[in-house]
Amino acid sequence: MGSLPSRLSVVTLGARDIGALRSFYRSLGWSELPASDDSWSAFLLGGVLFALFPLPELAAEAAPGVPDPAGGWSGVTLACNVDSREEVDTAFAAAVAAGAVVVAEPTDRPWGGRSGYFADPEGNRWEVAWAGTARFDERGALIAFG
C-alpha cells in the first residue's frame, strides 16, 4: 500500500466574493499568479499555493450535498510567521492598512512568542506570529519549528 506524502501543497479558501478577496490579498503586496481571474485565483507563498475559489463551486467538489457554511469564523486559522518579534507589529499593521479587521492586537504569548490575529474581508482568520524556534529557507518556506 502507498502512503500520503507529508506535505501541504495548497490551501484553498471558498470565497463568497472572490473579487474582493483577490483585491485584499493583492493589497498585502502578494503576487497573484498570471492565470488568476474571478473563477480561480492563487498566490505562491513560500512553497505553498494559497488559492481562492468560489464557495458554491468548492462546496460542489469538496462537500456535495452539504449546506454552505454560515458567515463568521470557520474554526480554522492561517498563519504567517515572521523573522522577528518586532516584525509581528509591522506586518500586522500592513494587513490592517490593506483592509484587515483587527481580531486580537499583537501581544507577547505565554509560549514565548508574539502574535496577533486579523480577519480578511470574509472573516477568515490570520495569525501574524513570531516563534524563536521557526526557521525558514530562502523562499520563506518553514523548514524547522521547535
Side-chain angles (χ1 to χ4, degrees):
M1 178 181 343
S3 65
L4 181 66
S6 57
R7 67 176 72 122
L8 178 62
S9 307
V10 180
V11 172
T12 303
L13 294 182
R16 289 174 178 81
D17 182 345
I18 195 168
L21 284 183
R22 290 176 68 207
S23 178
F24 172 74
Y25 288 108
R26 287 191 309 256
S27 293
L28 294 177
W30 295 0
S31 296
E32 192 173 29
L33 295 185
S36 297
D37 59 26
D38 281 348
S39 67
W40 176 84
S41 173
F43 303 81
L44 187 57
L45 308 177
V48 174
L49 193 68
F50 177 68
L52 306 172
F53 198 61
L55 181 58
E57 294 175 42
L58 183 59
E61 289 184 15
V66 176
D68 284 352
W73 185 45
S74 65
V76 173
T77 61
L78 305 167
C80 175
N81 278 65
V82 294
D83 294 317
S84 70
R85 179 180 302 277
E86 298 75 27
E87 194 176 344
V88 170
D89 295 66
T90 304
F92 190 87
V96 172
V101 175
V102 174
V103 173
E105 292 282 349
T107 188
D108 290 336
R109 300 291 179 184
W111 46 266
R114 181 171 181 79
S115 74
Y117 288 87
F118 67 84
D120 75 10
E122 292 195 0
N124 298 295
R125 299 306 204 260
W126 280 86
E127 179 184 27
V128 178
W130 169 79
T133 60
R135 300 290 177 261
F136 306 93
D137 70 12
E138 66 282 349
R139 298 175 305 148
L142 185 66
I143 56 173
F145 195 91

